[in-house]
Amino acid sequence: MKAEEFDWMVYHAIAWNQATTLPALIEYAGGDGDAVEASVRRLISYLLIDRQGERLRALSVGESILRCQVRHGNGIPLEIENGVIKIPSTEQGREER
């Protein structure tokens, strides 16, 4: 199976709540732990899923777009930490307070 097809299978298992932890995904995929871990890393880097501790979940379209803008947008002063959108404090912002 091609990596893209495997990623698609892993993504759907997460999105449809068939498997939302790494051990459950490994069992769902037939026991190939290395392939599942590599797929999860790719899906996270593609901004399709998120890992919060042991739990994996599919990102909504809006979350994915926002994360893409934060990652690739020049000058967007936002950070996402544990699902919370934050504006990082800057030296300029501290001086104005």
Side-chain angles (χ1 to χ4, degrees):
M1 180 182 296
K2 293 181 184 179
E4 296 86 9
E5 293 170 353
F6 191 77
D7 289 353
W8 197 239
M9 180 195 66
V10 169
Y11 174 79
H12 280 101
I14 295 167
W16 295 337
N17 290 317
Q18 294 172 327
T20 57
T21 64
L22 207 51
L25 279 172
I26 292 169
E27 183 177 333
Y28 182 85
D32 191 350
D34 292 337
V36 171
E37 288 181 41
S39 179
V40 165
R41 283 193 301 273
R42 284 191 299 272
L43 291 170
I44 290 171
S45 74
Y46 300 155
L47 303 173
L48 294 173
I49 66 169
D50 184 40
R51 178 182 291 177
Q52 296 174 342
E54 292 291 315
R55 306 292 296 173
L56 299 164
R57 69 176 184 89
L59 295 175
S60 70
V61 172
E63 287 175 301
S64 184
I65 290 170
L66 179 61
R67 288 176 187 229
C68 184
Q69 288 175 332
V70 168
R71 180 187 290 175
H72 299 290
N74 293 329
I76 297 175
L78 297 175
E79 294 177 359
I80 300 175
E81 183 178 309
N82 295 325
V84 177
I85 300 170
K86 297 181 177 184
I87 298 174
S89 57
T90 63
E91 292 301 319
Q92 181 181 9
R94 287 187 209 139
E95 291 172 6
E96 292 175 3
R97 290 183 193 168

